[in-house]
């Protein structure tokens, strides 16, 4: 009974996050590589527990974006946790590059991969491939990226893993915060 109550609590928290996302949020300029470094550090223990590692290639790009930092962290945590959970051992690689006026975050894993039919359903409410998944995490992540005027795409091959690309507009001229 306690496990089911905890599951209901998670679902309610996800609904509350979705409901909160409709209000206006104060976006501030933030350095994207710092956000990604913080998330990677946060998830290293979870990765180690599953005999996985997280590698990064973030230092070459100094991309600043307007964002609500905690919302973006939620997206990156969700995507990286999904990557870790798709493997029994392996590597999740996080990289950052720029393409024109966009910062592009690539998160790749060496997991089991997904069929095209599954890829087409990613982000739909209540769709999950996990036994205990609510099917709300990626739906909320898509919404957060959309609110940041960005885009998120998935490519995957069975047995080879999955790549998630998150594209966000770069701040060109502003007073930057750390």
């Amino acid at each position: 009974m306690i496990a089911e109550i905890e599951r209901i609590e998670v679902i309610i928290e996800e609904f509350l996050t979705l409901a909160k996302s409709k209000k206006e949020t104060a976006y501030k300029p933030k350095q994207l590589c710092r956000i990604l470094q913080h998330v990677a550090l946060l998830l290293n223990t979870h990765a180690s527990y599953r005999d996985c590692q997280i590698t990064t290639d973030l230092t070459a790009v100094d991309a600043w974006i307007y964002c609500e930092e905690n919302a973006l962290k939620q997206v990156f945590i969700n995507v990286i946790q999904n990557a870790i959970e798709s493997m029994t051992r392996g590597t999740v690689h996080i990289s950052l590059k720029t393409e024109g006026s966009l910062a592009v975050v690539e998160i790749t894993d060496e997991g089991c991969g997904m069929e095209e039919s599954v890829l087409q359903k990613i982000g739909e409410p209540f769709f999950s491939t996990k036994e205990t998944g609510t099917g709300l995490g990626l739906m909320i992540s898509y919404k957060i990226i959309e609110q940041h005027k960005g885009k998120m795409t998935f490519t995957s091959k069975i047995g080879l893993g999955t790549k998630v690309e998150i594209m966000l507009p770069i701040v060109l001229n502003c007073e930057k915060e750390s």
Side-chain angles (χ1 to χ4, degrees), residues 81-131:
Q81 276 184 330
N82 286 347
I84 291 168
E85 291 169 7
S86 76
M87 303 183 291
T88 49
R89 72 168 32 130
T91 302
V92 176
H93 184 70
I94 306 165
S95 68
L96 174 61
K97 61 184 177 182
T98 58
E99 291 179 5
S101 62
L102 293 175
V104 180
V105 178
E106 287 185 1
I107 301 168
T108 57
D109 66 55
E110 299 169 344
C112 57
M114 294 178 278
E115 294 178 3
E116 187 62 35
S117 60
V118 173
L119 279 173
Q120 291 174 357
K121 293 181 181 181
I122 287 179
E124 287 183 11
F126 307 109
F127 174 76
S128 178
T129 58
K130 300 179 192 176
E131 268 186 44

Side-chain angles (χ1 to χ4, degrees), residues 109-172:
D109 66 55
E110 299 169 344
C112 57
M114 294 178 278
E115 294 178 3
E116 187 62 35
S117 60
V118 173
L119 279 173
Q120 291 174 357
K121 293 181 181 181
I122 287 179
E124 287 183 11
F126 307 109
F127 174 76
S128 178
T129 58
K130 300 179 192 176
E131 268 186 44
T132 58
T134 62
L136 296 174
L138 286 176
M139 181 186 82
I140 291 168
S141 295
Y142 269 112
K143 188 137 195 89
I144 290 169
I145 295 301
E146 183 181 288
Q147 289 169 342
H148 284 78
K149 298 183 180 8
K151 183 178 175 185
M152 183 164 58
T153 61
F154 288 75
T155 54
S156 189
K157 298 264 190 234
I158 296 293
L160 296 177
T162 301
K163 177 171 79 170
V164 181
E165 279 190 328
I166 300 170
M167 293 149 275
L168 297 161
I170 295 173
V171 173
L172 298 175

